[in-house]
Amino acid sequence: MEVVVKENYDEISKLAAQMIADLIRKKKNAVLGLATGSTPLGTYKELVRMHKEEGLDFSGIITFNLDEYVGLPPLHPESYRYFMNTNLFDQINVKKENTNVPDGNAEDQDLSCQEYEDKIKKMGGLDIQLLGIGGNGHIAFNEPGSSLSSRTRTKTLTEKTRQDNARFFNNDITLVPKYAVTMGIGTIMDAGEIILLANGTNKADAVAQAVEGPVSSHCPASALQSHKMVTMIFDKEAASKLKDHYPTDPVRNKKV
Ligand code: PGA
């Protein structure tokens, strides 16, 4: 596990985008695991810039998103399908049919979750997975207490997560869905490489638990400590409760 601490949000976004772009340039048909929420927005903005200004080519790329609310129509402005279309897919040359978001409206949720897992496998597995972290340590919608070997399934959202996300629903928690379909921690851990991003003081406790606390389902992100290739990129505020000191760049960026 590599932890790097950058000066600000702009720097963490640019580093994450650069790491994803490096992979896309090396592997034209890379399988990207993508996230929603406020955290990855800067990364997507930078990837869009790279596409428009540097010709970064997404035409062979396949994507799988982490999660989706249950019960929101796909065109609802807070659905994660809508978020991804608006903030990334509509602005790059990825083929829409190669983009996958869990179906929050499937009649048979168990079957739909199994099909999502099967499709990831069929495509050769996730080459890289981008993650944010919840204020309660969740990754995707794997809330505290989630099995560290869980697979894609429906989860009940905690009160804390619904409160955190109420800002996207007119600050009205009653409008925030109660359930979500989410890749499991086991699904995420199968990715070849993982990048976790966090910024802001409201993430500092979760970051400290994830990086320097014990591996525990109480803090789902702590499972990443045992992943073979994970880079955690924080701004100074998110890193403010870490006890150790960490470098400002991953080893791959160092000239040796
Ligand atoms: P955020 O959410 O990026 O909107 O802070 C992260 C998460 O809950 O995983």
Side-chain angles (χ1 to χ4, degrees):
M1 180 172 77
E2 257 197 300
V3 175
V4 300
V5 179
K6 307 297 274 182
E7 205 55 43
N8 54 42
Y9 178 67
D10 190 50
E11 287 189 10
I12 68 172
S13 302
K14 287 195 169 133
L15 176 55
Q18 181 214 319
M19 290 168 73
I20 294 168
D22 286 349
L23 170 69
I24 293 173
R25 288 194 192 99
K26 266 198 289 215
K27 188 172 176 186
K28 296 275 169 236
N29 60 347
V31 181
L32 309 182
L34 299 176
T36 51
S38 314
T39 311
L41 279 173
T43 306
Y44 296 153
K45 201 167 151 215
E46 177 64 5
L47 287 171
V48 168
R49 188 201 64 74
M50 287 170 157
H51 169 66
K52 291 192 171 146
E53 293 177 13
E54 298 167 14
L56 185 63
D57 180 16
F58 291 82
S59 60
I61 295 301
I62 295 154
T63 72
F64 286 91
N65 263 79
L66 287 170
D67 45 17
E68 178 61 284
Y69 289 117
V70 168
L72 289 186
L75 293 181
H76 189 289
E78 293 310 330
S79 79
Y80 287 167
R81 164 51 78 181
Y82 184 91
F83 175 104
M84 290 309 300
N85 287 351
T86 311
N87 292 298
L88 187 65
F89 301 151
D90 289 345
Q91 302 189 59
I92 57 177
N93 66 334
V94 70
K95 294 193 182 84
K96 241 349 144 34
E97 65 269 27
N98 288 345
T99 67
N100 300 278
V101 178
D103 183 355
N105 290 293
E107 261 178 44
D108 185 338
Q109 279 294 347
D110 289 348
L111 178 65
S112 172
C113 291
Q114 187 56 53
E115 285 172 353
Y116 203 68
E117 287 277 334
D118 293 345
K119 193 163 181 191
I120 294 172
K121 260 198 209 98
K122 195 170 147 214
M123 295 299 159
L126 303 167
D127 289 304
I128 198 165
Q129 177 65 58
L130 183 64
L131 294 175
I133 180 171
N136 61 2
H138 74 202
I139 45 176
F141 275 133
N142 295 286
E143 300 286 32
S146 294
S147 160
L148 300 187
S149 59
S150 48
R151 312 302 303 189
T152 303
R153 70 219 182 287
T154 308
K155 283 292 285 180
T156 307
L157 302 180
T158 60
E159 182 80 4
K160 162 87 174 128
T161 295
R162 293 181 66 231
Q163 268 162 10
D164 284 352
N165 288 3
R167 68 189 195 279
F168 301 116
F169 292 85
N170 294 329
N171 288 315
D172 181 353
I173 191 168
T174 65
L175 300 178
V176 183
K178 294 194 171 86
Y179 306 98
V181 184
T182 180
M183 276 189 206
I185 299 175
T187 321
I188 293 168
M189 291 292 283
D190 284 348
E193 182 175 359
I194 294 175
I195 302 173
L196 180 136
L197 304 179
N199 64 290
T201 42
N202 59 332
K203 299 293 172 69
D205 285 319
V207 161
Q209 278 297 312
V211 177
E212 294 178 346
V215 173
S216 157
S217 64
H218 181 68
C219 177
S222 66
L224 303 176
Q225 291 176 22
S226 64
H227 190 273
K228 58 189 179 300
M229 194 152 78
V230 58
T231 310
M232 298 196 178
I233 311 172
F234 306 129
D235 73 352
K236 284 189 158 166
E237 284 77 28
S240 59
K241 292 196 175 165
L242 291 173
K243 292 197 175 71
D244 278 335
H245 289 284
Y246 297 95
T248 55
D249 276 300
V251 165
R252 66 169 76 193
N253 283 11
K254 288 257 185 292
K255 288 201 171 67
V256 284

